[in-house]
Amino acid sequence: MGKRFRLGMPKMNRWLCGVELLFAYLSSVVISSCSTIDCPVQNTVSVQYEIRDKAGAALSLKDSLSVVTTIADGKNIVLDITTRDENKTTILNRLTGRSSFSLPISYSHPEDILYFCFKDSAKTVIDTVWIKKDDIPHFESVDCAAAFFHELTAVRHTHNAIDSLVLINTSVDYDVQTVHFYLYPKTGN
């Protein structure tokens, strides 16, 4: 019996080795499948603006542009953007020399109200922009933070410094290359 037991040992070792290898392979497949969640690192959803002249060419800002928005209920009116108010947030501060910019978009209001403040050495001109949108919940994984994409449905604005604001692309997601608006300032601004 001792001799038969010794002869069966190599077969049993090979079998156990095969089972251990199979177990290790299956464990690595299960572990790697759980670690490949692709949560976006930059999950900010923003609207892209390009500033254009009347001919449609890119136009760099000469005046400084600041954009302020209301946080609470949309009933506040900005008269002086230098005043600190807990219900307003500056989302773009003194942009100059650029022909494009991006602004974040809210995910809890059906309409965003933005105040575009154009300032030169002599005066400040403020335009109000209203952007209506539908919020679309975006699910990637239970391990990822909640995200919202948007469908822009309408835009309107005052005409103090902005001649027109044209909606080009209505779908807003993580893509930072897609231009959503062409902003045409009035001549001389």
Side-chain angles (χ1 to χ4, degrees):
M1 181 153 73
K3 193 174 183 183
R4 273 180 81 192
F5 180 72
R6 276 188 249 139
L7 289 176
M9 281 298 278
K11 288 181 184 178
M12 188 154 179
N13 281 341
R14 279 187 261 148
W15 183 82
L16 281 175
C17 185
V19 168
E20 287 175 354
L21 284 174
L22 180 63
F23 179 74
Y25 173 75
L26 291 175
S27 296
S28 67
V29 167
V30 168
I31 290 171
S32 68
S33 68
C34 292
S35 65
T36 58
I37 297 170
D38 291 332
C39 294
V41 177
Q42 296 293 335
N43 63 351
T44 303
V45 178
S46 59
V47 177
Q48 311 300 320
Y49 295 80
E50 280 192 6
I51 303 166
R52 302 284 177 123
D53 62 13
K54 290 192 187 275
L59 176 68
S60 293
L61 280 175
K62 293 178 185 169
D63 298 345
S64 134
L65 171 63
S66 296
V67 179
V68 178
T69 186
T70 58
I71 294 174
D73 57 8
K75 294 180 182 176
N76 301 305
I77 298 173
V78 177
L79 298 175
D80 181 5
I81 62 169
T82 60
T83 309
R84 295 284 178 205
D85 186 338
E86 63 191 38
N87 295 327
K88 298 179 204 70
T89 301
T90 301
I91 55 177
L92 183 68
N93 193 21
R94 299 181 185 165
L95 178 75
T96 56
R98 304 252 331 255
S99 62
S100 65
F101 59 94
S102 66
L103 297 176
I105 191 166
S106 73
Y107 58 88
S108 61
H109 300 293
E111 183 176 62
D112 286 352
I113 302 172
L114 306 172
Y115 303 96
F116 283 64
C117 308
F118 295 90
K119 184 174 185 172
D120 63 12
S121 58
K123 65 183 183 297
T124 300
V125 180
I126 300 174
D127 271 308
T128 305
V129 175
W130 295 268
I131 301 173
K132 286 192 177 192
K133 61 187 177 52
D134 293 327
D135 301 325
I136 304 162
H138 176 71
F139 178 77
E140 302 231 2
S141 168
V142 292
D143 295 330
C144 299
F148 283 87
F149 290 168
H150 309 278
E151 192 68 29
L152 304 177
T153 57
V155 63
R156 61 187 173 95
H157 60 88
T158 58
H159 296 275
N160 299 320
I162 298 174
D163 183 46
S164 62
L165 187 61
V166 180
L167 180 58
I168 300 300
N169 190 331
T170 60
S171 181
V172 182
D173 54 22
Y174 295 139
D175 184 10
V176 295
Q177 303 300 320
T178 301
V179 176
H180 300 98
F181 289 104
Y182 287 155
L183 187 147
Y184 296 92
K186 286 188 175 179
T187 333
N189 290 336

